[in-house]
Every structure is written in structure tokens, then in C-alpha cells.
Amino acid sequence: MAHDKTRTIGGIELNVSYMIIWAVLLGLTLVEVFIPEMAHGPTGPRENSIFDPVFSRNLSIVLLIALAIAKTYCVAWFYMHLVDERPLIVLIGCTPFIFSVFLTVGLFPW
Amino acid sequence: MASTALEELHPPLGEESLGVVHGKLGMWTFLVMDAMTFAGFLAGYARLRWGVGGGADIPWPYPYDTFGQVGIQLTAFNTFILVCSSVSMVHSLAAALKGNMKTAQNWMLATIIGGLFFLGIQGFEWTHLIKDIFFNGDIKNVNFAATFFCLTGFHGCHVAVGVIYNLIMFLGMRSGKIHQGNASLVEIAGLYWHFVDLVWILVFTFVYLI
């Protein structure tokens, strides 16, 4: 039974969990593509949009960044097997993300 | 120390430091360095973009209008290709761990094809942008072109290297040098490939969508 246990992530069989994450990534990518279409452009509603703008550009930026973080989390946690790694590796993997936040905040033209 | 599920299925090769096999620790250390390089690119992009006048006293072009609806959708399809190649890579690893080397080989081939497809679409996009948009004078802000080509070009180099890396893995599997006993080599190659996918998710969002 130990053999079966090693082939699961979160209690789900390895190959199945990979496909679930793939479907999630595909769904989030589709949502991402439609968000700019449904948002106002920087100078107001865009003429070439096939949708009526329903929310502001600032909200679309927040949503897009949130979706990108969710997707990177899925890839790192499940495909790079951080879910199953030692804390040391998780810590190493998180380092550049912490660094990039400080770098971006430090460089931002406040 | 408790070992990971993948290592329980098959113990990794090589010596260990802090309970982690050297090859994996080395790849993670490299990825941290590489991620910081990309972080520098992205932070620089953010600084230029949100600076006064886009950093060049000329308004920063709205990506949706620059690339067009078709361009964005083509790149989204490219993102989908890269995500699919990530899936095929994890399936290759799972098959290698089970000892199904023929299946692992096929999944690795699919990963290579996905990477080549991605590079082909990016090459097509670059050609179109250079010939029809950037050199045509449609884009006045040079910082936009500079950051776009630096970010996507640097990432494209990573994909190209990843394809070669995966090809070496594929040939190793075919010749029998890579087998169930040293499947951790596939896992280490997979780490690099997933990292390339992960970075593209961020580049796609920041450069093409925001």
C-alpha cells in the first residue's frame, strides 16, 4: 500500500491531479484573456472591444495580477512538486518572489 | 528525515546535502538566480511603464491595441501550448518513475514538440512585430519595444535551451542511459521546464494583458 500512497498528491492519484491542475490553468488563462476585453482602456471605453466595458482598468490590473499569481502557484506547487518537498526547498523557491516584491516596490515611482 | 513521495517511489541518485540530492539542490539554486534575473527585468519594466510619460515622454502604448485582439489570442494559445508541454513533462516523469520508459519517452517527445511549437509562434510574432509595427513607426515609445524584446527574447532563449535539455533527456531514454533507476534526472529537467512555463505566465500577463 506504500506504493499506492506515493502516487498521490493530496489524496488524488498523480496523473489525475496533473490533469486537474492543467484544466485549472487552462480555465484561468481563458479568464485572463477576456478581462482586458471587458475592461475600459487607459483612455476610456475602447471602440474595437466586442464587449461593453463592465469594469475599470485598475480593477482589471488587480484581477490579472491575482490570476497570474494563482497560476504560478499552481505550476510551482503541483508541477514542480513543492507540495511534496522539504521546507528547505520551499524556502529556496519562495526567495525570488520575496525579492521581486521588494525590488518592484523599491523601484516604483512613488 | 522523511523523504518525499517521489523519492519514496524511487530513491534519487547521488549524494545529498541537507537531505536533498545535489542535482536537485543545484537546479533549485540556479532557478533562484534565474528567477531573480527575470525579477529584475520585470521590475525594470514596471518602473519604466509607470514612470512619467512611460519613461520616454511618449505615452506607453496599450498592449491590447498594439498587439490586437488576434495577437493577444495567438499569444494566449502559445501560453496554452506551454502549459500543455508542462503537463506532458510531469506525465513523462510519472511514467519514468513507474519504469514505463517507452511512455516516458513519448511524453518527453510531446514536451519537445510543444517547446518547438512555442518557439515557432514566437518567431512568427516577432517577425510580424518587427516588420509591420515597430520598424513601421507605429510605436513611438522605444522603451516599450526594448522591454518587450528583452523580456520575450530572454524567455525565448530559455525555451530554446529547455528544448535542447529535453532532447538530451529523450535521447538518453531512447538509448537506455536514462531509466527508472535514475529517473531523478527527468525530475531535475522537469524543474527547469516548469520554471520556464511559470515565468511565461508572468511575462504574458504583464507584457500582453496589463
Side-chain angles (χ1 to χ4, degrees), chain B residues 119-132:
Chain B
L119 287 173
I121 291 179
Q122 192 170 44
F124 170 78
E125 183 198 23
W126 269 43
T127 308
H128 165 67
L129 288 173
I130 290 171
K131 286 174 66 180
D132 302 334

Side-chain angles (χ1 to χ4, degrees), chain A residues 2-3 5-8 13-16 18-19 21-23 25-26 29 32-34 36-37 39-43 46 48-51 57 60-62 64-65 67-69 71-73 75-82 84-86 88-97 99-101 103-109, chain B residues 1-9 16-21 24-25 28-29 31-32 35-37 39-44 46-47 49-52 60 62-65 68-69 72-73 76 79-80 83-84 86-87 90-91 93-95 97-98 187 190-192 194-195 197-199 201-202 204-206 208-210:
Chain A
H3 180 74
K5 188 184 172 187
T6 56
R7 292 169 54 197
T8 63
E13 208 265 328
L14 208 59
N15 287 349
V16 177
Y18 289 153
M19 296 316 290
I21 298 303
W22 174 79
L25 288 171
L26 177 59
T29 304
E32 263 192 332
V33 173
F34 280 106
E37 289 223 25
H40 291 275
T43 53
R46 286 176 290 103
N48 58 349
S49 177
I50 56 174
F51 297 103
R57 177 159 162 72
S60 79
I61 290 172
V62 172
L64 287 168
I65 291 174
L67 286 171
I69 290 170
K71 286 168 70 181
T72 53
Y73 170 82
V75 172
W77 201 246
F78 296 103
Y79 286 174
M80 296 175 88
H81 298 114
L82 282 179
D84 197 31
E85 278 296 354
R86 293 175 171 80
L88 170 73
I89 294 290
V90 177
L91 190 66
I92 290 174
C94 289
T95 308
F97 292 99
F99 168 79
S100 61
V101 169
L103 185 65
T104 307
V105 170
L107 284 174
F108 207 80
Chain B
M1 187 174 285
S3 56
T4 65
L6 286 172
E7 287 162 6
E8 278 172 22
L9 189 62
E16 293 187 356
S17 293
L18 303 170
V20 182
V21 66
K24 192 194 280 187
L25 195 60
W28 270 108
T29 310
L31 293 182
V32 165
M36 286 182 176
T37 310
F41 271 116
L42 286 169
R47 172 64 184 86
R49 183 158 182 187
W50 278 278
V52 177
W60 196 276
Y62 188 37
Y64 195 91
D65 294 331
Q69 193 177 26
I72 297 284
Q73 287 173 357
T79 308
F80 170 69
V83 168
C84 288
S86 256
V87 180
V90 284
H91 280 301
L93 172 62
L97 287 168
K98 289 176 191 168
E187 186 188 3
L191 283 176
Y192 178 81
H194 300 311
F195 171 76
D197 180 26
L198 183 150
V199 167
I201 288 169
L202 295 172
F204 174 60
T205 301
F206 285 103
Y208 288 88
L209 297 177
I210 289 181

Side-chain angles (χ1 to χ4, degrees), chain B residues 17 32 57 67-68 89 162 168:
Chain B
S17 293
V32 165
D57 296 330
F67 301 114
M89 178 56 102
I168 292 168

